Amino acid sequence: MTLMLGIESSCDETAAAVVDGDRCVRSSIVASQHDLHEVYAGVVPEVASRAHLECISPVIRQACRDAGVALQDIDAIAVGNAPGLIGSLLVGTSAAKALAWSLGVPLIGVHHVLAHLHAAALDAPPLPLPAVGLVASGGHTHVYRLDDDGTANALTWTIDDAIGEAFDKAGTMLRAGYPGGPAVEALAATGDGTGIDLPIGRPKAGGFSFSGLKTALLYALRGQPRRVDGTTVFPRELDDVPSEVRANHAAAFQSAAVAGLERGLRAALNDAGEFGALIAGGGVIANTAVRSMLERVASDAQVPLRLPTRAYCVDNAAMIAGAGLAQFERGHHADLHLQALARLTLGVSS
Ligand code: KG4
Ligand code: ZN
C-alpha cells in the first residue's frame, strides 16, 4: 500500500501527515502558531516563517512516529507549495525537496486550496466525480467544478474579502478572540440576532462579497460616524459595547455571512452543468450553521454532500497527502525545481 507523507506550511500551521493509498490517515500532526499571532490579531508573515523553521523537522518526525513508520517506508512526498505566505511556503517546500531527494522518492506539489476539497475523502469513500466543491477559508471563498480527469475549474469566487477573513475581522470587532471564526461561532450561540439588520452580500455579477457586511457590523457596533474637524468620530468605542449586544451581533453577523455564502453557492450550482456531489472544505466549513446550510443546498440539488470532519476542515497535512495521492495515482510528479508560489490561480490540474 502506498504511503504518502504530506507537508503543509502555507500560513500559520506547521503540519505533517502520513496517509495511505486507501486515504486512511495513519497520522496527522498540526503545530498551530495561533498563540504567536494572537497579540497582533492576524498572522505576521516573518514570525510565521521562523516558527515553521523551528517546527518542521520535529513535526515530520512525530508524524512518522505516530504512523509507526520510518522515513524509509514513505513512497512519495506531497507538499503544499502554493498559494500562501511565501516565506512559510518556502520552509515546507524546501523540507519536502530535501527529503524526496535524500530518500529517492517522488515529490508532488499540491495546490493548498484544492487540497481542502480532498479532505472530504480522508477516512471516507472516494469522491464521486464530477462534483462541485466549495472552499471557504481564511484566504479563499471559491467554487470549483472538479472533473474525473483531475481538472478543477473555478466557477465563482469572492469579489472582496474571503468569508474566513470576514469572520476574523468580526471576531476582533466583537472582542470575541482569535482566530475569529470559532470565537464568533461560540459567541453567536449565546446571542439572538433577530431584529438586527445586517446586509447579505449580493454582487451584481455573481460570486460572493463579504466586505460590506464587515463595515455594516462596525457601524452597528460603534454607531454612525460623523466627520468632525476632518476626522471620523464614532459615538461608541468597541471596548464599550455591552456583552449582550456583542453576542446578538455575533449571531446576526453569522446569519448574514452564511446567507451570503448560500446565495453565491446556489447561483454557482445553477451554472455548474451535471454533477454528482457537493463537496466543501476549508476552515469555515467547521461552522455548524455553514454545515446545516450545505445540507439544505445539497438536498435541494438532490446530490450527496461530502464534508470533511472538523479536524480536516482547518489547515492540516492529511489533506495535502490526500491531494498528493490523487496526482501520484495519475503519474503526476514534480521535480526538484518545484517552486513555492505565493499566488497560483486555478483551473489547474488536481
Ligand atoms: O482553511 P483554514 O484553516 O486556513 C486557510 O487556508 O485560510 O481556514 C482558517 C479560517 C479562519 O479565517 C478561521 O477564522 C475560519 O477558517 N474558521 C471558522 C471556523 N473555524 C475556523 N469560521 C467560522 N466558523 C468556524 N467554526
Ligand atoms: Zn487552508
Side-chain angles (χ1 to χ4, degrees):
M1 172 91 59
T2 309
L3 284 181
M4 180 71 69
L5 172 67
I7 298 176
E8 156 62 28
S9 70
S10 66
C11 190
D12 59 346
E13 266 96 21
T14 319
V18 177
V19 177
D20 70 28
D22 282 343
R23 306 305 191 266
C24 289
V25 180
R26 303 280 187 97
S27 67
S28 176
I29 304 293
V30 181
S32 163
Q33 305 173 5
H34 289 168
D35 52 341
L36 294 178
H37 302 288
E38 187 169 13
V39 58
Y40 306 104
V43 178
V44 182
E46 191 58 27
V47 172
S49 31
R50 281 165 197 268
H52 284 306
L53 210 49
E54 280 174 19
C55 290
I56 193 92
S57 297
V59 162
I60 292 171
R61 271 200 298 274
Q62 188 65 42
C64 289
R65 247 196 314 269
D66 281 11
V69 300
L71 271 174
Q72 287 68 22
D73 300 325
I74 297 293
D75 296 298
I77 297 179
V79 60
N81 69 309
L85 301 171
I86 190 64
S88 296
L89 288 166
L90 274 169
V91 176
T93 307
S94 308
K97 284 184 187 180
L99 273 177
W101 177 77
S102 62
L103 297 170
V105 298
L107 172 70
I108 295 155
V110 167
H111 193 284
H112 176 96
V113 182
L114 264 197
H116 273 300
L117 296 175
H118 286 268
L122 297 171
D123 293 331
L127 296 177
L129 298 177
V132 172
L134 166 71
V135 180
S137 68
H140 289 82
T141 311
H142 266 66
V143 180
Y144 297 98
R145 185 186 160 87
L146 306 176
D147 281 293
D148 44 17
D149 61 357
T151 53
N153 285 292
L155 298 175
T156 194
W157 49 84
T158 177
I159 59 163
D160 42 52
D161 290 1
I163 184 169
E165 191 182 350
F167 264 97
D168 289 336
K169 288 175 179 162
T172 304
M173 289 186 242
L174 293 161
R175 302 292 190 253
Y178 177 85
V184 170
E185 178 172 15
L187 185 60
T190 68
D192 177 0
T194 319
I196 301 172
D197 190 22
L198 293 177
I200 296 165
R202 290 189 171 81
K204 281 201 182 66
F208 306 97
S209 169
F210 297 101
S211 92
L213 169 60
K214 180 190 68 188
T215 310
L217 176 65
L218 179 71
Y219 287 7
L221 292 170
R222 295 197 64 184
Q224 279 300 319
R226 287 177 299 121
R227 294 292 287 175
V228 178
D229 297 335
T231 47
T232 306
V233 179
F234 285 94
R236 184 155 68 178
E237 294 296 327
L238 286 170
D239 285 331
D240 298 334
V241 177
S243 55
E244 194 189 328
V245 175
R246 282 186 201 158
N248 292 343
H249 281 75
F253 168 85
Q254 181 171 269
S255 301
V258 176
L261 194 63
E262 175 169 2
R263 194 191 157 279
L265 176 61
R266 284 190 188 270
L269 294 185
N270 286 338
D271 296 339
E274 290 286 304
F275 61 97
L278 178 62
I279 304 170
V284 179
I285 305 301
N287 183 291
T288 300
V290 171
R291 293 172 89 89
S292 311
M293 175 274 283
L294 291 170
E295 272 164 24
R296 286 195 308 274
V297 171
S299 149
D300 290 348
Q302 297 183 323
V303 291
L305 175 65
R306 294 289 302 273
L307 299 181
T309 59
R310 283 184 168 79
Y312 298 139
C313 287
V314 287
D315 284 351
N316 66 87
M319 69 183 197
I320 301 288
L325 279 161
Q327 291 192 46
F328 184 75
E329 287 157 1
R330 292 195 168 86
H332 295 176
H333 306 161
D335 60 25
L336 294 177
H337 294 290
L338 180 72
Q339 284 185 34
L341 296 169
R343 288 179 185 278
L344 182 60
T345 323
L346 291 173
V348 296
S349 221
S350 72

